[in-house]
Amino acid sequence: MCRWIAYRGESVPLESYVTKPVHSLVSQSVHALESTAAFNGDGFGLGWYGDQPEPGLYKELRPAWSDENLQHLCRHLRSHMFFAHVRAATGTSVSRPNCHPFAYGKWMFMHNGLVGNWDLLRRDIERMIPDELYGSRGGTTDSEALFLAAMGQGLTGAERREDPVTAVGRMAELVTELVHGKGEGAPFRFTAALADGRDLYAFRYSANDSSNSLYYRTLGNTVVVASEPLDQDRGSWIGVPDNTALVARWGEPLEIQPFLQPSETIEKIPAAR
Amino acid sequence: MCRWIAYRGESVPLESYVTKPVHSLVSQSVHALESTAAFNGDGFGLGWYGDQPEPGLYKELRPAWSDENLQHLCRHLRSHMFFAHVRAATGTSVSRPNCHPFAYGKWMFMHNGLVGNWDLLRRDIERMIPDELYGSRGGTTDSEALFLAAMGQGLTGAERREDPVTAVGRMAELVTELVHGKGEGAPFRFTAALADGRDLYAFRYSANDSSNSLYYRTLGNTVVVASEPLDQDRGSWIGVPDNTALVARWGEPLEIQPFLQPSETIEKIPAAR
Amino acid sequence: MCRWIAYRGESVPLESYVTKPVHSLVSQSVHALESTAAFNGDGFGLGWYGDQPEPGLYKELRPAWSDENLQHLCRHLRSHMFFAHVRAATGTSVSRPNCHPFAYGKWMFMHNGLVGNWDLLRRDIERMIPDELYGSRGGTTDSEALFLAAMGQGLTGAERREDPVTAVGRMAELVTELVHGKGEGAPFRFTAALADGRDLYAFRYSANDSSNSLYYRTLGNTVVVASEPLDQDRGSWIGVPDNTALVARWGEPLEIQPFLQPSETIEKIPAAR
Amino acid sequence: MCRWIAYRGESVPLESYVTKPVHSLVSQSVHALESTAAFNGDGFGLGWYGDQPEPGLYKELRPAWSDENLQHLCRHLRSHMFFAHVRAATGTSVSRPNCHPFAYGKWMFMHNGLVGNWDLLRRDIERMIPDELYGSRGGTTDSEALFLAAMGQGLTGAERREDPVTAVGRMAELVTELVHGKGEGAPFRFTAALADGRDLYAFRYSANDSSNSLYYRTLGNTVVVASEPLDQDRGSWIGVPDNTALVARWGEPLEIQPFLQPSETIEKIPAAR
């Protein structure tokens, strides 16, 4: 089980979230509190938006805790929107192409969770990736396949522009059918973040299992979403409910939307504080 | 374009071929003579048979020339059958899962060449891999896909046992059709080695292009097959002809067989000296 | 704090100790029981003796738990004497030259412990390394410096041949004086193994601190020494007492000898069971 | 023999010099024109100044040509002063701590050249490093030792502030004496860059040998210094003469100063165009 954080707001040095806080992402790589994996030492990655339309990426297969490059980059890079991810592999190899975040054009994605019975379902999920995106599949993880499959639900191409929550939802619906069907009830846990340089989306969902933890904190225009609170002021962190999407569009207030909810549960969605 | 060597014979330390000769494989990683790639610095791999039915593998994404582990292993490992490969990437990432040799059960494979227009043809070639083998696809290279596709032509499974030259030939035939058709004449170069711990096979073939160089040398029961002669006694090295397979079954004399030859050219096959 | 095992006995595949047991060294890299470091993910190394007078080495800066090469090597390498080590760095960088074991000629060494206040004492300890050995200092750890300093106490060179326990003891005595003096009471923990391909020595010692754990098990000619018992049959493992050296010369029964003991404590040394 | 570039001027994306030009530093890693090493595949490094007083560093032991992180960083990092270096090792191991540039506080340094007979002279040169700097020696190269030895000639500490050309000159003088004396005429080649975030210095010097190539180009406030011209407009590149230092202080015109010149040759120094 991995750990990640996503940031949108004033431009800040990445170290403010990735390396410096008491329970920073790098300290979570050594000792996570709300994870079945005690530590996350199977590679890591950073992604950030700057002057270019597409994000910059830094991925490494070493653990985050001993990488001097990561310390340097987090101290010297500033960004208004960035992702950071530490990995605990669930079966696929520890290699850079399997590290998060993944990017395609302006889009960036990272994931904590899994598609159970991956060897059985891999082909079917890869089949959901459109031909024109398949060449950019660089690794073998379920996470990257889920991302490219979601891209294929209308997030790329000139002719149409889908709402990302709808597109990701359609992908998750198809995968849910797969795990219920051919997967014979394999778990599908999907706690993920998606961004395009302006807007940030996060998802907390699962099928046949309980969802992985997810929290957020807002202050003015700043939104931080993380697998676990980054500091001991836990009161300032709000849990993202199961089966919801967090939507933080640039310059707009944060919203929590239903995400693949059974129709009878929609009324349970709490409003964001 | 990569460089490789394959050995079958008396048990010897790997260093006798991989690191020590004047034009050893490691020296070819720095300066190849018969290659369009002046050097081969995109990772490397060793595979060797010992006490176990399946081969041992050592792969590394660093260049071979500076890896102290490789020096140690070649000095301390002995084997009667081993492969060594230095890679010059043709588009896919430099990662361990993309390094040769590849193994499945008792089988081991390595390749020098390419499927042109890989991004276009990748899906079709991956489709040739049987479901039960697809889980072992760990990288994104054309080479690994060709190997698993060949395995699917009857080399695994209890019920049937194909002749490896026939199975590999069937795979190469299907790929040739693909590059002629959907690939619109993309080149397909296939200079490869396959082994099962007892028998060694090598192939030199191409479609829409000229084949990559391949040589062999025999002495008693020992057969060495290599992209380039390993020493300056070039007279002792015999070129493997285009469109042939070299077959070196344990305890049997080496044979050169036709491999996907247009019927009118079969009489051109030279006998092994 | 690191974890290690040393083996001397019948030639066996390394996997029998390094990767297979319930609490194998690789499982200790993920979850050590008797260590202040919960896990040991800062690189690892193997060293083994075979046909050559000097040992083979395999070192890697990735964690042991995700390295496929390590799995392959442990399954395919057999040896009558080998070391394996997983590292938890105590301040120096995670790089291959800082991974254990270290070798010089026929000698091989690994260490769990530290010289406290290393930045202050490093120069003085490096000064203990003879000129002719200094060129082989490849990293910056205290451990490697202690090894080369011990070599300089009479373990190399043609003219004289020291008893290894005496040579290592003289080095440890000099370092003890340093930590008491210039080091102002910095801790010095030295739980180490030394071998030459025939004889195996292990040391458990500390100054200004308590010693790191060390256990051994014997069966016939086989001796295994390890930071922690490798299986749940803890009754078969005997603790190595503080301030002693374990001596396992080829073909001779194992001995426990006093090592830098204050004279009044020598009578406390327990006999090996 | 390594290749490097140093930049001082308007803030630009690093890609403008490191990855994009026809003969960019990364293309020099694959094919250098004025170097005895045909390629430079033994690791690389970036160093850049931004908001912080000390530089950011990114080092990697893989070759520059296949590192996706480097492509990303060069595209997304902007700086008014940066170094980039590709390494061809001259005997010491390929590890991150041995990659250039090296940093201490605000200072950054990189080097192309060598101290011949390094194993013999290493101790003497390391002895030139002051105690308070010795803890920051992270690798084993001659280059890093030369840097820290130069720092010790008055570039750190509160009480005094040396002119960098004088300090580096004093270090080079001491090393020259060493190679003439104990080194018995070993070559000493020193083509190096030093910066503090404001001012840039470069040196071209050798003893017992000919100096490695060095060029510069100025345009307005921008100064680029490089082992080889980065594009085919060779006319715009000026060779840095032997035994001179290039001084590019912020907001001041570039100067070429004598550096350790035999007194009778000083008049030969050409003026900068």
Side-chain angles (χ1 to χ4, degrees):
Chain A
M1 206 192 302
C2 312
R3 304 280 90 180
W4 57 254
I5 64 165
Y7 175 92
R8 186 217 70 183
E10 298 307 305
S11 185
V12 292
L14 275 57
E15 66 179 2
S16 311
Y17 295 90
V18 182
T19 53
K20 272 197 170 169
V22 174
H23 196 53
S24 73
L25 191 73
V26 168
S27 81
Q28 292 180 38
S29 77
V30 177
H31 186 50
L33 298 173
E34 305 192 18
S35 168
T36 52
F39 56 98
N40 294 271
D42 297 332
F44 68 90
L46 289 181
W48 69 98
Y49 291 94
D51 300 333
Q52 307 293 342
E54 86 281 3
L57 295 178
Y58 172 61
K59 300 184 177 193
E60 179 52 76
L61 52 77
R62 298 171 55 153
W65 61 74
S66 67
D67 187 58
E68 306 90 347
N69 288 334
L70 178 63
Q71 296 288 334
H72 274 280
L73 292 173
C74 288
R75 182 155 167 77
H76 288 267
L77 285 171
R78 300 178 69 90
S79 176
H80 68 282
M81 183 172 278
F82 60 85
F83 285 8
H85 186 279
V86 291
R87 186 170 178 237
T90 56
T92 49
S93 78
V94 175
S95 65
R96 280 198 195 165
N98 282 352
C99 287
H100 306 226
F102 304 101
Y104 186 83
K106 68 176 178 179
W107 293 99
M108 180 158 70
F109 174 86
M110 64 185 166
H111 175 228
N112 167 20
L114 87 168
V115 177
N117 230 335
W118 174 236
D119 273 358
L120 182 66
L121 301 178
R122 174 174 167 192
R123 272 211 138 127
D124 295 273
I125 292 174
E126 286 181 345
R127 209 166 281 135
M128 294 163 59
I129 305 172
D131 279 349
E132 63 274 23
L133 301 182
Y134 195 66
S136 79
R137 172 122 168 99
T140 55
T141 58
D142 48 2
S143 303
E144 185 194 31
L146 297 173
F147 168 50
L148 294 173
M151 285 292 103
Q153 295 297 326
L155 293 181
T156 60
E159 72 293 342
R160 51 188 184 154
R161 176 64 168 72
E162 244 345 311
D163 172 63
V165 177
T166 309
V168 172
R170 215 175 294 147
M171 175 279 291
E173 210 159 21
L174 291 167
V175 174
T176 300
E177 281 167 26
L178 263 173
V179 294
H180 284 159
K182 186 176 182 181
E184 298 182 337
F188 170 37
R189 294 202 304 268
F190 183 75
T191 300
L194 179 73
D196 64 1
R198 270 184 54 88
D199 304 331
L200 170 65
Y201 307 86
F203 306 88
R204 183 170 183 232
Y205 172 76
S206 62
N208 303 328
D209 206 346
S210 58
S211 302
N212 289 348
S213 63
L214 193 64
Y215 295 84
Y216 71 95
R217 187 171 68 182
T218 58
L219 184 65
N221 191 36
T222 292
V223 178
V224 187
V225 190
S227 302
E228 301 186 7
L230 301 177
D231 51 37
Q232 287 166 342
D233 179 14
R234 292 183 68 100
S236 70
W237 293 89
I238 304 168
V240 176
D242 258 7
N243 300 338
T244 62
L246 177 158
V247 176
R249 292 206 181 80
W250 192 254
E252 296 181 27
L254 181 148
E255 277 178 66
I256 301 290
Q257 301 180 0
F259 183 78
L260 294 201
Q261 299 201 348
S263 47
E264 69 276 21
T265 68
I266 289 191
E267 51 271 41
K268 291 196 223 147
I269 305 156
R273 283 200 296 204
Chain B
M1 205 191 303
C2 312
R3 304 279 90 181
W4 56 254
I5 63 165
Y7 175 91
R8 188 216 68 185
E10 299 306 305
S11 186
V12 291
L14 274 56
E15 67 178 2
S16 311
Y17 294 90
V18 181
T19 52
K20 273 197 170 169
V22 174
H23 196 53
S24 74
L25 192 73
V26 168
S27 81
Q28 291 179 38
S29 78
V30 177
H31 186 51
L33 298 174
E34 304 192 18
S35 168
T36 52
F39 56 98
N40 295 271
D42 298 330
F44 68 88
L46 288 182
W48 70 97
Y49 293 94
D51 298 335
Q52 307 292 341
E54 86 282 2
L57 294 179
Y58 172 62
K59 300 184 178 194
E60 178 52 75
L61 53 76
R62 299 171 54 154
W65 61 76
S66 68
D67 186 59
E68 306 90 347
N69 288 335
L70 179 62
Q71 296 289 333
H72 274 281
L73 292 174
C74 288
R75 182 154 166 79
H76 288 268
L77 286 172
R78 300 177 69 90
S79 175
H80 68 282
M81 183 173 277
F82 59 86
F83 285 8
H85 186 278
V86 292
R87 187 171 177 236
T90 57
T92 49
S93 78
V94 175
S95 65
R96 279 199 196 166
N98 282 352
C99 287
H100 306 225
F102 304 101
Y104 186 84
K106 69 176 179 180
W107 293 100
M108 179 159 69
F109 173 86
M110 66 185 164
H111 175 227
N112 166 22
L114 87 168
V115 176
N117 231 334
W118 175 236
D119 273 358
L120 182 65
L121 300 179
R122 174 174 167 192
R123 270 209 142 130
D124 296 272
I125 292 174
E126 287 182 344
R127 210 166 281 135
M128 294 163 59
I129 305 172
D131 279 349
E132 63 272 24
L133 300 183
Y134 195 66
S136 78
R137 171 119 167 100
T140 55
T141 58
D142 48 1
S143 303
E144 186 194 29
L146 297 173
F147 168 50
L148 294 172
M151 286 291 104
Q153 295 297 327
L155 293 181
T156 59
E159 71 293 341
R160 51 187 184 151
R161 176 63 168 74
E162 244 345 311
D163 172 63
V165 177
T166 308
V168 173
R170 217 177 291 150
M171 175 280 288
E173 209 158 20
L174 291 167
V175 175
T176 299
E177 281 166 26
L178 263 173
V179 293
H180 284 158
K182 186 177 182 179
E184 298 181 339
F188 170 37
R189 295 202 303 268
F190 183 75
T191 300
L194 178 73
D196 64 1
R198 273 185 51 88
D199 303 331
L200 168 66
Y201 306 86
F203 306 87
R204 183 168 183 234
Y205 171 76
S206 63
N208 304 329
D209 207 347
S210 58
S211 303
N212 289 348
S213 62
L214 192 63
Y215 295 83
Y216 70 96
R217 188 171 66 184
T218 58
L219 185 64
N221 190 36
T222 293
V223 177
V224 186
V225 191
S227 301
E228 301 186 9
L230 301 177
D231 51 37
Q232 288 167 343
D233 179 14
R234 292 183 69 100
S236 70
W237 293 89
I238 303 168
V240 176
D242 258 7
N243 300 338
T244 62
L246 177 157
V247 177
R249 292 205 183 81
W250 191 255
E252 296 181 26
L254 180 149
E255 276 177 67
I256 301 290
Q257 300 181 0
F259 182 78
L260 294 200
Q261 299 202 349
S263 47
E264 69 275 20
T265 67
I266 290 192
E267 52 270 39
K268 291 199 223 143
I269 306 156
R273 285 200 295 203
Chain C
M1 208 191 302
C2 312
R3 303 279 89 181
W4 58 253
I5 63 164
Y7 176 92
R8 188 216 69 183
E10 298 307 303
S11 184
V12 292
L14 274 57
E15 67 178 3
S16 310
Y17 294 89
V18 181
T19 53
K20 273 197 170 170
V22 174
H23 196 53
S24 73
L25 192 73
V26 168
S27 82
Q28 291 180 37
S29 77
V30 177
H31 186 51
L33 297 175
E34 304 192 17
S35 168
T36 52
F39 56 97
N40 294 271
D42 297 331
F44 67 89
L46 288 182
W48 69 96
Y49 292 93
D51 300 334
Q52 307 292 343
E54 86 282 3
L57 295 178
Y58 172 61
K59 300 184 177 195
E60 178 51 74
L61 52 78
R62 300 170 53 153
W65 61 74
S66 68
D67 186 60
E68 306 90 348
N69 288 334
L70 179 62
Q71 296 288 333
H72 274 280
L73 292 174
C74 288
R75 183 154 165 77
H76 287 269
L77 285 172
R78 299 177 69 90
S79 176
H80 68 282
M81 182 173 278
F82 60 85
F83 285 8
H85 186 278
V86 292
R87 185 168 178 238
T90 57
T92 49
S93 79
V94 176
S95 65
R96 280 198 195 167
N98 282 351
C99 288
H100 307 225
F102 304 101
Y104 186 84
K106 69 176 178 179
W107 293 100
M108 179 158 69
F109 173 87
M110 64 184 166
H111 175 228
N112 166 20
L114 88 168
V115 177
N117 231 333
W118 175 236
D119 273 358
L120 182 66
L121 300 178
R122 175 175 166 192
R123 270 210 140 129
D124 296 274
I125 292 174
E126 287 181 346
R127 210 166 282 136
M128 294 164 59
I129 305 172
D131 279 349
E132 63 274 23
L133 300 183
Y134 194 66
S136 79
R137 172 122 168 98
T140 54
T141 57
D142 48 2
S143 304
E144 186 195 29
L146 296 173
F147 168 50
L148 294 173
M151 286 291 105
Q153 296 297 327
L155 294 181
T156 60
E159 70 292 342
R160 52 189 182 154
R161 176 66 167 72
E162 243 347 309
D163 172 63
V165 177
T166 308
V168 172
R170 217 176 291 149
M171 175 279 291
E173 210 159 19
L174 291 168
V175 175
T176 300
E177 281 166 27
L178 263 174
V179 294
H180 283 158
K182 186 175 182 181
E184 299 181 339
F188 170 37
R189 294 202 305 268
F190 183 75
T191 300
L194 179 73
D196 64 1
R198 271 184 53 89
D199 303 331
L200 169 65
Y201 306 87
F203 305 88
R204 184 169 183 233
Y205 171 76
S206 62
N208 303 328
D209 206 347
S210 59
S211 303
N212 289 347
S213 63
L214 192 64
Y215 294 84
Y216 70 95
R217 187 171 67 183
T218 57
L219 185 65
N221 190 36
T222 292
V223 177
V224 186
V225 190
S227 302
E228 301 187 8
L230 301 177
D231 51 37
Q232 289 167 342
D233 179 13
R234 292 184 67 101
S236 69
W237 292 89
I238 304 169
V240 175
D242 258 8
N243 301 338
T244 62
L246 177 158
V247 176
R249 292 206 183 80
W250 192 255
E252 296 181 26
L254 180 148
E255 276 178 68
I256 300 290
Q257 300 181 0
F259 183 77
L260 294 200
Q261 299 201 350
S263 47
E264 70 275 22
T265 68
I266 290 192
E267 51 271 41
K268 291 196 223 148
I269 306 156
R273 283 201 297 203
Chain D
M1 207 191 301
C2 312
R3 304 279 90 180
W4 57 253
I5 63 165
Y7 175 92
R8 187 216 70 184
E10 297 307 304
S11 184
V12 291
L14 273 57
E15 67 179 3
S16 311
Y17 294 90
V18 182
T19 53
K20 273 197 170 170
V22 175
H23 196 52
S24 73
L25 191 73
V26 169
S27 82
Q28 291 180 37
S29 78
V30 177
H31 186 51
L33 297 174
E34 304 191 20
S35 168
T36 52
F39 57 98
N40 294 270
D42 297 331
F44 69 89
L46 288 182
W48 69 97
Y49 292 94
D51 300 334
Q52 308 293 343
E54 86 282 3
L57 294 179
Y58 172 61
K59 301 183 177 195
E60 178 52 74
L61 54 76
R62 298 171 54 154
W65 62 74
S66 68
D67 187 60
E68 307 90 347
N69 288 334
L70 179 63
Q71 295 289 332
H72 275 280
L73 292 173
C74 288
R75 183 156 167 76
H76 288 269
L77 287 171
R78 299 177 69 90
S79 175
H80 68 281
M81 185 174 276
F82 59 86
F83 286 7
H85 185 278
V86 292
R87 185 170 178 237
T90 57
T92 49
S93 80
V94 175
S95 65
R96 280 198 195 167
N98 282 352
C99 287
H100 307 224
F102 304 100
Y104 186 84
K106 69 176 179 179
W107 294 99
M108 179 158 69
F109 173 86
M110 65 185 164
H111 175 228
N112 167 20
L114 87 168
V115 176
N117 229 335
W118 175 236
D119 273 358
L120 181 66
L121 300 178
R122 175 175 167 191
R123 272 208 138 131
D124 296 273
I125 292 174
E126 286 181 346
R127 211 167 280 137
M128 294 164 58
I129 305 173
D131 278 350
E132 63 273 23
L133 300 183
Y134 194 66
S136 78
R137 171 122 168 99
T140 54
T141 57
D142 48 2
S143 304
E144 186 195 29
L146 296 173
F147 168 50
L148 294 172
M151 285 291 104
Q153 295 297 326
L155 293 181
T156 60
E159 71 292 344
R160 50 185 185 156
R161 175 67 168 71
E162 248 340 315
D163 173 63
V165 177
T166 307
V168 173
R170 216 174 295 148
M171 175 279 290
E173 210 159 20
L174 290 167
V175 175
T176 300
E177 281 166 27
L178 263 174
V179 294
H180 283 160
K182 186 175 181 182
E184 298 182 339
F188 170 38
R189 294 202 305 266
F190 183 75
T191 299
L194 179 73
D196 64 2
R198 271 184 52 88
D199 304 330
L200 170 65
Y201 306 86
F203 305 88
R204 184 169 182 233
Y205 171 76
S206 63
N208 304 329
D209 206 346
S210 57
S211 302
N212 289 348
S213 63
L214 193 64
Y215 294 84
Y216 70 97
R217 187 172 67 183
T218 58
L219 185 65
N221 191 36
T222 293
V223 177
V224 187
V225 191
S227 302
E228 301 186 9
L230 301 177
D231 51 36
Q232 288 167 343
D233 179 14
R234 292 184 68 101
S236 69
W237 293 89
I238 303 168
V240 176
D242 257 8
N243 300 338
T244 62
L246 177 157
V247 176
R249 293 207 181 80
W250 191 255
E252 295 181 26
L254 181 149
E255 276 177 67
I256 301 289
Q257 300 180 358
F259 182 78
L260 292 200
Q261 298 200 350
S263 48
E264 69 276 21
T265 68
I266 290 191
E267 52 271 41
K268 288 196 224 147
I269 306 154
R273 284 200 295 206

Short mmCIF file of all heavy atoms in Angstrom, two decimals, chain C residues 43 45 66 76-77 82 116 123 131 138 151 164 179 188 199 220 225 231 240 246 250:
data_model
loop_
_atom_site.label_atom_id
_atom_site.label_comp_id
_atom_site.label_asym_id
_atom_site.label_seq_id
_atom_site.Cartn_x
_atom_site.Cartn_y
_atom_site.Cartn_z
N GLY C 43 20.80 -0.84 1.30
CA GLY C 43 21.76 -1.62 0.55
C GLY C 43 22.08 -2.93 1.25
O GLY C 43 21.71 -3.15 2.40
N GLY C 45 24.78 -6.80 0.73
CA GLY C 45 25.88 -7.44 0.01
C GLY C 45 25.99 -8.91 0.34
O GLY C 45 25.54 -9.36 1.39
N SER C 66 13.63 -6.39 -2.57
CA SER C 66 13.03 -6.27 -3.90
C SER C 66 14.01 -6.57 -5.02
O SER C 66 13.71 -6.30 -6.18
CB SER C 66 12.45 -4.87 -4.10
OG SER C 66 13.49 -3.90 -4.16
N HIS C 76 21.32 -19.95 -7.00
CA HIS C 76 22.26 -20.61 -7.93
C HIS C 76 23.70 -20.67 -7.43
O HIS C 76 24.51 -21.39 -8.01
CB HIS C 76 22.19 -19.92 -9.30
CG HIS C 76 20.93 -20.23 -10.03
ND1 HIS C 76 20.82 -21.28 -10.90
CD2 HIS C 76 19.71 -19.67 -9.98
CE1 HIS C 76 19.58 -21.34 -11.37
NE2 HIS C 76 18.88 -20.36 -10.83
N LEU C 77 24.02 -19.91 -6.41
CA LEU C 77 25.38 -19.97 -5.88
C LEU C 77 25.44 -20.97 -4.72
O LEU C 77 24.58 -20.95 -3.85
CB LEU C 77 25.83 -18.60 -5.35
CG LEU C 77 26.19 -17.53 -6.37
CD1 LEU C 77 26.40 -16.20 -5.65
CD2 LEU C 77 27.43 -17.90 -7.16
N PHE C 82 30.31 -18.29 3.34
CA PHE C 82 29.78 -17.04 2.74
C PHE C 82 29.28 -16.10 3.82
O PHE C 82 28.97 -16.51 4.95
CB PHE C 82 28.68 -17.35 1.72
CG PHE C 82 27.50 -18.08 2.26
CD1 PHE C 82 26.44 -17.39 2.86
CD2 PHE C 82 27.41 -19.46 2.15
CE1 PHE C 82 25.32 -18.07 3.35
CE2 PHE C 82 26.30 -20.15 2.63
CZ PHE C 82 25.26 -19.45 3.23
N GLY C 116 30.98 5.99 17.11
CA GLY C 116 30.25 7.24 17.33
C GLY C 116 31.14 8.43 17.03
O GLY C 116 32.36 8.31 17.01
N ARG C 123 39.38 10.72 10.52
CA ARG C 123 40.77 10.91 10.09
C ARG C 123 41.73 10.06 10.88
O ARG C 123 42.66 9.48 10.31
CB ARG C 123 41.14 12.38 10.32
CG ARG C 123 40.82 13.21 9.15
CD ARG C 123 41.81 14.35 9.09
NE ARG C 123 42.17 14.54 7.73
CZ ARG C 123 42.12 15.74 7.13
NH1 ARG C 123 41.76 16.81 7.80
NH2 ARG C 123 42.47 15.82 5.87
N ASP C 131 49.72 2.67 4.19
CA ASP C 131 49.74 3.27 2.86
C ASP C 131 49.38 2.27 1.76
O ASP C 131 48.61 2.58 0.85
CB ASP C 131 51.14 3.83 2.55
CG ASP C 131 51.35 5.20 3.18
OD1 ASP C 131 50.35 5.79 3.67
OD2 ASP C 131 52.49 5.67 3.20
N GLY C 138 37.40 2.26 -0.68
CA GLY C 138 36.51 2.69 -1.76
C GLY C 138 35.32 3.49 -1.31
O GLY C 138 34.64 4.10 -2.11
N MET C 151 43.56 -5.07 9.02
CA MET C 151 44.49 -5.69 8.05
C MET C 151 45.91 -5.20 8.30
O MET C 151 46.88 -5.95 8.19
CB MET C 151 44.10 -5.33 6.61
CG MET C 151 42.87 -6.04 6.06
SD MET C 151 43.14 -7.80 5.78
CE MET C 151 42.23 -8.45 7.20
N PRO C 164 44.55 -13.71 13.55
CA PRO C 164 43.53 -12.69 13.28
C PRO C 164 42.89 -12.12 14.53
O PRO C 164 42.58 -10.93 14.58
CB PRO C 164 42.51 -13.44 12.42
CG PRO C 164 43.31 -14.48 11.73
CD PRO C 164 44.33 -14.91 12.73
N VAL C 179 38.03 6.51 21.16
CA VAL C 179 36.69 6.94 21.59
C VAL C 179 36.70 7.39 23.05
O VAL C 179 35.98 8.31 23.43
CB VAL C 179 35.59 5.87 21.34
CG1 VAL C 179 35.38 5.65 19.85
CG2 VAL C 179 35.88 4.56 22.05
N PHE C 188 31.39 2.82 20.77
CA PHE C 188 32.05 2.02 19.74
C PHE C 188 31.46 0.63 19.86
O PHE C 188 31.67 -0.06 20.84
CB PHE C 188 33.57 2.02 19.98
CG PHE C 188 34.34 1.05 19.13
CD1 PHE C 188 33.99 0.80 17.81
CD2 PHE C 188 35.45 0.37 19.66
CE1 PHE C 188 34.72 -0.09 17.03
CE2 PHE C 188 36.19 -0.52 18.88
CZ PHE C 188 35.81 -0.75 17.58
N ASP C 199 39.00 -20.27 7.48
CA ASP C 199 38.65 -20.08 8.89
C ASP C 199 37.71 -18.89 9.02
O ASP C 199 37.81 -17.92 8.28
CB ASP C 199 39.92 -19.82 9.71
CG ASP C 199 40.94 -20.95 9.55
OD1 ASP C 199 40.52 -22.10 9.32
OD2 ASP C 199 42.15 -20.64 9.61
N GLY C 220 27.54 -30.59 13.36
CA GLY C 220 28.67 -31.22 12.68
C GLY C 220 29.71 -30.16 12.41
O GLY C 220 30.06 -29.35 13.28
N VAL C 225 26.71 -18.09 12.10
CA VAL C 225 26.74 -16.98 13.05
C VAL C 225 25.83 -15.91 12.49
O VAL C 225 25.87 -15.64 11.29
CB VAL C 225 28.18 -16.43 13.22
CG1 VAL C 225 28.24 -15.46 14.39
CG2 VAL C 225 29.18 -17.55 13.40
N ASP C 231 15.48 -18.84 12.55
CA ASP C 231 14.22 -19.59 12.56
C ASP C 231 13.65 -19.58 13.96
O ASP C 231 14.20 -18.96 14.87
CB ASP C 231 14.44 -21.01 12.05
CG ASP C 231 15.57 -21.68 12.80
OD1 ASP C 231 15.73 -21.44 14.01
OD2 ASP C 231 16.32 -22.44 12.17
N VAL C 240 26.40 -15.29 21.56
CA VAL C 240 27.84 -15.06 21.70
C VAL C 240 28.00 -14.04 22.82
O VAL C 240 27.39 -12.97 22.78
CB VAL C 240 28.45 -14.50 20.39
CG1 VAL C 240 29.92 -14.15 20.57
CG2 VAL C 240 28.25 -15.50 19.26
N LEU C 246 34.54 -15.52 18.47
CA LEU C 246 34.21 -16.89 18.09
C LEU C 246 35.21 -17.29 17.01
O LEU C 246 35.40 -16.56 16.03
CB LEU C 246 32.77 -16.90 17.56
CG LEU C 246 32.18 -18.18 17.02
CD1 LEU C 246 30.65 -18.09 17.08
CD2 LEU C 246 32.59 -18.45 15.57
N TRP C 250 38.86 -24.23 10.10
CA TRP C 250 38.45 -25.35 9.28
C TRP C 250 38.86 -26.68 9.93
O TRP C 250 40.01 -26.85 10.29
CB TRP C 250 39.08 -25.25 7.89
CG TRP C 250 38.46 -26.22 6.94
CD1 TRP C 250 38.99 -27.39 6.48
CD2 TRP C 250 37.16 -26.12 6.37
NE1 TRP C 250 38.11 -28.02 5.66
CE2 TRP C 250 36.97 -27.27 5.57
CE3 TRP C 250 36.13 -25.19 6.46
CZ2 TRP C 250 35.79 -27.49 4.85
CZ3 TRP C 250 34.97 -25.42 5.76
CH2 TRP C 250 34.81 -26.57 4.96
#
